[in-house]
């Protein structure tokens, strides 16, 4: 009813300023076009858009799952590599320890040999020295005996006794031993 | 004169919009109070919140509609 | 639109907040038959174009790493799909394209209706009543087909005391038949109210003194309307899911 006066001069709703919503003459038209709209949107969505989006989402889910699996794989590999590295490190350390030990033993052996040699030399020298000392001591003892015998004979003579060489020697020897 | 009475009626009907506003505020406020006490359960109940607000607001819209009818259609 | 001329020739401010909802033939012409192309038709077709642009053209690359349009399309898909699954149950997934259609149509006509000088199909009871009746009939038919006479158990609250049950049954039946009414009026009323309020503020803008306030008010209302446009589409969809759940699992 409002549309009849529409072309006049923009005075659209002058005649009956009612609610356009309750103008039932437009309902058939609106409902028809609404049904058309809904059917078109329904067909577009259910035939094209929704399956496509569902496929894209599923594909993305698959990709993500694959990527996660690949990442898991790589992580496994990394762990293995680390283990290998650690193994190599431990091996190298063992080797080094072995070498150190061997070297130490060698050095020890050499040292022992040298020490033994030096000990032997030292012992030899010591023995020589002792022999010399013994010889010197022997000599000294002999000299002391001779001096003592002489001194004793002289003393006995000076005291007016008769110097018996045999007795004096025995006495001196006894004294020196005691 | 008839139109004047209708306008008074429309104004009275518009009070209902304010009442609906109180109702919506009540719903939202109580939801917020509950959500602050138990924030972990709040997210799952937002749908319920909107349904409650929608029901409360629909009644306000009815009164708005009555006002419009009195203004323009009577 | 016509506020200016009316205000000039009338006694003082005259508002015509409802003029924007007038359905008129788009290409002139006198009468309006069933198949006339009207402005309502035009904006409905624009909603179709919008849906196709977003959901079909936006996803045409089928990219694994989505672009902007595809992200939005996937977001809408996931949003509605999750809603159907969570609220209506897993066996309601077959209704997902139907519910998605309702959601996309309402969202697009609401948002397109926010453009200046546009027309909002969802502000008309003719449109929302059809939408709500479609839901109501679907729910009722599905309820009887899936559950047979057990669907009537929805009205017979078996957990209540026996004496109360007839009373409750009457209340339940009334509330069941009020559903399409509130379902349709909620959507149309919200959209209409927002647009009309914006128009009223626009009428106040003709007075020089308060025009800055009125322009600010229009801006604020517009922001609210953007929110309402989405929330009403969401509410319509989620209520459809709730009703569908009642039809599929009528036990209280």
């Amino acid at each position: 009813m409002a549309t009849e006066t529409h072309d006049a001069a923009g005075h659209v709703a002058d005649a009956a300023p009612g609610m356009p919503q309750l103008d039932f003459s437009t309902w058939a038209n609106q409902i028809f076009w609404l049904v058309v709209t809904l059917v078109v949107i329904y067909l577009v969505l259910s035939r094209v858009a929704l399956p496509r989006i569902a496929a894209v989402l599923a594909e993305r889910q698959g990709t993500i799952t694959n990527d996660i699996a690949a990442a898991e794989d790589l992580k496994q590999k990394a762990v293995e590599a680390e283990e290998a590295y650690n193994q190599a490190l431990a091996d190298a350390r063992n080797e080094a320890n072995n070498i150190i030990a061997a070297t130490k033993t060698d050095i020890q052996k050499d040292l022992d040999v040298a020490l033994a040699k030096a000990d032997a030399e030292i012992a030899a020298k010591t023995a020589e020295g002792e022999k010399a000392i013994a010889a010197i001591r022997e000599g000294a003892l002999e000299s002391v005996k001779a001096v003592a015998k002489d001194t004793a004979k002289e003393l006995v003579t000076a005291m007016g006794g008769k110097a018996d060489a045999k007795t004096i020697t025995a006495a001196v020897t006894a004294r020196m031993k005691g | 004169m008839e139109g004047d009475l209708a306008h008074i009626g429309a104004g009275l009907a518009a009070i209902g919009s304010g009442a609906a506003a109180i109702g919506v505020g009540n719903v939202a406020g109580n939801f917020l109070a509950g959500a602050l006490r138990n924030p972990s359960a709040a997210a799952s109940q937002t749908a319920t919140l909107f349904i409650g607000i929608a029901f409360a607001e629909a009644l306000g819209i009815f009164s708005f509609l009555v006002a419009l009818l009195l203004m323009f259609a009577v | 639109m016509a506020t200016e001329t009316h205000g000039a020739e009338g006694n003082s401010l005259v508002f015509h907040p409802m003029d924007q909802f007038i359905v008129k033939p788009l290409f002139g012409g006198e009468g309006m038959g069933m198949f006339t192309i009207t402005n309502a038709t035009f904006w409905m077709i624009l909603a179709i174009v919008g849906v196709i642009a977003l959901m079909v053209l936006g996803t045409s690359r089928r990219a694994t790493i989505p672009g902007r349009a595809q992200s939005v399309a996937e977001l809408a898909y996931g949003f509605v799909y999750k809603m159907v699954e969570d609220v209506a149950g897993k066996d309601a997934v077959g209704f997902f394209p139907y519910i998605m259609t309702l959601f996309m149509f309402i969202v697009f006509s609401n948002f397109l209706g926010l453009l200046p000088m546009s027309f909002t199909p969802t502000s008309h009871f003719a449109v929302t009543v059809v939408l709500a009746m479609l839901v109501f009939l679907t729910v009722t038919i599905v309820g009887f087909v899936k559950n047979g006479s057990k669907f009537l158990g929805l009205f017979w609250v078996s957990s209540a005391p026996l004496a109360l049950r007839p009373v409750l049954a009457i209340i339940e039946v009334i509330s069941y038949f009020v559903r399409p009414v509130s379902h349709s009026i909620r959507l149309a009323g919200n959209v209409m109210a927002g647009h009309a309020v914006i128009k009223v503020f626009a009428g106040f803008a003709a007075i020089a003194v308060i025009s800055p306030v009125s322009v600010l008010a229009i801006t604020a209302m517009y922001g609210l309307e953007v929110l309402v446009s989405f929330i009403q589409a969401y509410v319509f969809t989620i209520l459809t899911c709730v009703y569908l759940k009642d039809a599929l699992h009528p036990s209280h």
Side-chain angles (χ1 to χ4, degrees):
Chain A
M1 45 185 176
T3 46
E4 284 166 8
T5 54
H6 169 59
D7 289 336
H11 293 139
V12 187
D14 257 357
M19 279 174 74
Q21 278 88 347
L22 297 180
D23 181 3
F24 289 99
S25 65
T26 66
W27 275 48
N29 177 285
Q30 287 193 67
I31 289 170
F32 169 73
W33 286 109
L34 171 68
V35 171
V36 169
T37 307
L38 288 181
V39 168
V40 170
I41 294 181
Y42 180 81
L43 289 180
V44 166
L45 285 181
S46 64
R47 291 287 150 83
V48 185
L50 299 183
R52 182 186 290 175
I53 295 177
V56 168
L57 289 180
E59 192 183 315
R60 177 170 317 143
Q61 197 57 47
T63 311
I64 290 172
T65 314
N66 282 346
D67 283 3
I68 286 175
E72 205 65 38
D73 240 34
L74 288 177
K75 198 177 163 193
Q76 192 60 38
K77 271 181 192 157
V79 167
E80 275 165 17
E82 198 190 347
E83 261 166 24
Y85 167 77
N86 282 341
Q87 189 61 44
L89 205 63
D91 283 356
R93 198 166 279 157
N94 271 350
E95 191 77 4
N97 281 343
N98 285 347
I99 290 171
I100 289 170
T103 315
K104 216 179 246 173
T105 331
D106 281 1
I107 291 172
Q108 193 63 46
K109 224 180 268 170
D110 285 357
L111 206 61
D112 284 353
V113 170
L115 274 177
K117 209 165 155 193
D119 278 353
E121 265 169 32
I122 290 167
K125 287 242 170 89
T126 313
E128 250 170 54
E130 266 171 7
K131 221 180 269 174
I133 290 169
I136 292 166
R137 191 177 282 164
E138 202 80 359
L141 214 55
E142 286 300 310
S143 304
V144 169
K145 254 183 205 169
V147 169
K149 271 181 213 165
D150 285 355
T151 314
K153 202 198 265 173
E154 285 304 314
L155 279 173
V156 171
T157 312
M159 282 161 123
K162 199 178 150 197
D164 186 358
K166 212 175 172 184
T167 318
I168 286 169
T169 304
V172 169
T173 309
R175 269 302 158 113
M176 281 183 72
K177 268 186 188 158
Chain B
M1 286 310 283
E2 186 196 11
D4 290 345
L5 281 177
H7 281 79
I8 292 170
L12 289 175
I15 295 173
S17 301
I22 295 173
V24 172
N26 215 353
V27 173
N30 281 329
F31 174 80
L32 192 60
L36 286 176
R37 284 196 191 173
N38 188 2
S40 57
S44 61
Q45 295 305 317
T46 39
T48 323
L49 167 74
F50 279 111
I51 293 173
I53 285 182
F55 278 123
E57 193 179 10
L59 301 173
I61 293 291
F62 286 162
S63 71
F64 167 74
L65 193 71
V66 170
L68 277 184
L69 286 173
L70 289 171
M71 282 277 285
F72 295 109
V74 175
Chain C
M1 301 183 271
T3 316
E4 202 61 42
T5 49
H6 282 289
E9 68 187 39
N11 33 18
S12 62
L13 278 175
V14 180
F15 299 114
H16 288 270
M18 307 308 279
D19 281 6
Q20 58 182 324
F21 301 121
I22 290 172
V23 179
K24 49 184 178 287
L26 202 60
F27 305 113
E30 280 305 301
M32 188 187 300
M34 198 167 170
F35 310 112
T36 320
I37 308 273
T38 61
N39 50 354
T41 315
F42 176 69
W43 287 96
M44 282 183 202
I45 288 172
L46 226 54
I48 300 180
V49 172
V51 170
I52 290 177
L54 177 65
M55 303 301 286
V56 178
L57 302 183
T59 60
S60 59
R61 281 176 48 234
R62 298 161 186 264
T64 308
I65 299 161
R68 270 184 219 150
Q70 198 183 329
S71 288
V72 174
E74 283 171 12
L75 213 62
Y77 180 97
F79 180 71
V80 178
Y81 193 89
K82 194 168 172 299
M83 200 192 314
V84 173
E85 214 177 46
D86 287 357
V87 178
K90 289 232 188 289
D91 45 349
V93 165
F95 294 95
F96 168 61
Y98 176 60
I99 292 171
M100 188 77 182
T101 305
L102 293 178
F103 178 76
M104 292 312 285
F105 172 70
I106 296 171
V107 153
F108 265 91
S109 33
N110 280 357
F111 277 137
L112 287 173
L114 283 175
L115 296 173
M117 309 299 291
S118 69
F119 176 88
T120 320
T122 39
S123 70
H124 272 259
F125 295 126
V127 171
T128 56
V129 163
V130 170
L131 292 175
M133 282 312 288
L134 280 177
V135 171
F136 179 75
L137 291 177
T138 310
V139 164
T140 311
I141 292 170
V142 166
F144 276 113
V145 167
K146 289 241 172 183
N147 304 294
S149 58
K150 266 198 286 179
F151 184 59
L152 292 172
L154 188 65
F155 308 117
W156 195 251
V157 189
S158 50
S159 57
L162 192 60
L164 275 177
R165 282 184 207 171
V167 184
L168 282 177
I170 294 170
I171 294 175
E172 289 283 337
V173 168
I174 292 174
S175 81
Y176 187 79
F177 283 99
V178 164
R179 273 178 183 180
V181 178
S182 70
H183 207 181
S184 59
I185 288 182
R186 179 182 303 113
L187 176 59
N190 265 297
V191 176
M192 192 207 321
H195 286 232
V197 166
I198 287 182
K199 209 67 176 194
V200 168
F201 278 123
F204 278 123
I207 306 171
V209 186
I210 57 169
S211 67
V213 180
S214 122
V215 169
L216 274 180
I218 291 173
T219 313
M221 279 306 296
Y222 196 91
L224 186 68
E225 279 309 292
V226 172
L227 193 68
V228 164
S229 290
F230 180 76
I231 286 182
Q232 287 309 315
Y234 172 65
V235 162
F236 192 96
T237 319
I238 205 166
L239 284 178
T240 305
C241 292
V242 170
Y243 298 159
L244 205 56
K245 190 197 77 182
D246 279 351
L248 294 172
H249 316 281
S251 54
H252 256 273

